[in-house]
Amino acid sequence: MSKTLKGFARREWGALFSTVRTALVTKRWRAVPMTLGAVCLTALFQLVQNQDWGYQPVQDIGSVRAEDPLWLSLLRTPLSLFVPALDLPVWGALAQVLLVFGIAEICLGRWRTLGVAFLATLAGTLYARVGIALGPDNPFGLPATDAQVVDTGPSAAVVGLAVYVCWRYGARWTGALVVLSMVIEVVVKANLAGKEHIAAIAAVLVLIAVQAWRERGQDGVEPRPGTRSWKPPIRS
């Protein structure tokens, strides 16, 4: 039984663990400069928005609601990724960003990490508008009152990155577990945040499908230096 579990763990997390461990041992904190910056920025936003003088400025630059004009939401979306929810413990958000962003930065490189994170966040932001337009009677819809609710902050990006890294490094069961947990979240509590997480996952799954299709099209072609078709992606 123990050999079976060890074999499963090696297949599921071996490549991922080896990549992360090597980077942390050889470079230490220098392996994740973007992640450390994201953690500091998230902590700073949390600190400022809890001050009497700081709440409104943070809302003005980084809080997205479906009732806002679309151009304003798109303008705020990049920074909204680092504005934690006021009603949730900030330490949970910081731990999520440190762990998931850190692993993604090591495994994917900082620019691909940011790209996937923004894609997931943007998908959630745009879904909120579509869901409200569909209305509460539609299974994919939302009540009109959700237009005044602030979007998910870093959590949609965290979920999207987790699914993408799991796919890229062959941790299929772990990725499936992340998706299943988000589905259960929506079933138990069908709120805006849960449905935005599903929208983020859907966007990342589309990205995965496109990349998998492109890589299948390259089967039989000798990989060029720097390509990702035959092994986990190199850092950018």
Side-chain angles (χ1 to χ4, degrees):
M1 184 65 176
S2 61
K3 289 184 178 180
T4 302
L5 290 176
K6 288 181 180 179
F8 171 79
R10 189 177 298 110
R11 291 190 301 272
E12 184 75 3
W13 303 302
L16 184 60
F17 177 80
S18 177
T19 301
V20 173
R21 182 179 182 278
T22 300
L24 293 179
V25 168
T26 57
K27 296 185 178 180
R28 299 183 183 274
W29 62 268
R30 295 189 302 277
V32 289
M34 183 270 293
T35 297
L36 295 177
V39 170
C40 292
L41 185 59
T42 303
L44 176 63
F45 275 137
Q46 174 68 11
L47 177 65
V48 172
Q49 73 178 351
N50 278 285
Q51 309 301 315
D52 292 338
W53 53 268
Y55 173 78
Q56 195 57 51
V58 171
Q59 296 297 300
D60 291 341
I61 66 174
S63 289
V64 175
R65 298 176 178 84
E67 67 179 0
D68 297 331
L70 180 59
W71 67 268
L72 183 59
S73 294
L74 295 177
L75 191 63
R76 290 174 175 173
T77 293
L79 283 179
S80 75
L81 199 155
F82 306 106
V83 179
L86 282 168
D87 58 341
L88 296 176
V90 67
W91 300 112
L94 294 177
Q96 288 180 358
V97 171
L98 180 62
L99 179 64
V100 178
F101 272 68
I103 292 173
E105 184 176 4
I106 290 170
C107 295
L108 308 175
R110 65 178 62 95
W111 294 115
R112 187 177 290 263
T113 296
L114 285 174
V116 174
F118 285 138
L119 171 66
T121 302
L122 183 61
T125 296
L126 296 179
Y127 159 75
R129 296 172 178 273
V130 175
I132 290 168
L134 292 174
D137 295 330
N138 190 294
F140 300 102
L142 296 166
T145 53
D146 279 352
Q148 301 172 1
V149 178
V150 177
D151 279 354
T152 59
S155 59
V158 165
V159 171
L161 280 171
V163 172
Y164 187 88
V165 171
C166 286
W167 167 73
R168 179 56 74 179
Y169 275 77
R172 302 293 195 264
W173 288 101
T174 307
L177 183 61
V178 172
V179 175
L180 179 62
S181 65
M182 294 300 102
V183 172
I184 292 174
E185 177 189 16
V186 170
V187 172
V188 173
K189 189 176 181 181
N191 58 9
L192 175 62
K195 291 189 175 182
E196 285 190 344
H197 293 161
I198 297 297
I201 289 173
V204 171
L205 290 178
V206 170
L207 174 64
I208 288 172
V210 171
Q211 291 192 355
W213 174 75
R214 291 181 61 186
E215 289 176 4
R216 282 198 302 270
Q218 296 174 356
D219 286 348
V221 178
E222 184 178 353
R224 299 185 303 275
T227 61
R228 306 170 187 266
S229 59
W230 62 279
K231 62 181 180 180
I234 59 175
R235 290 201 57 191
S236 60

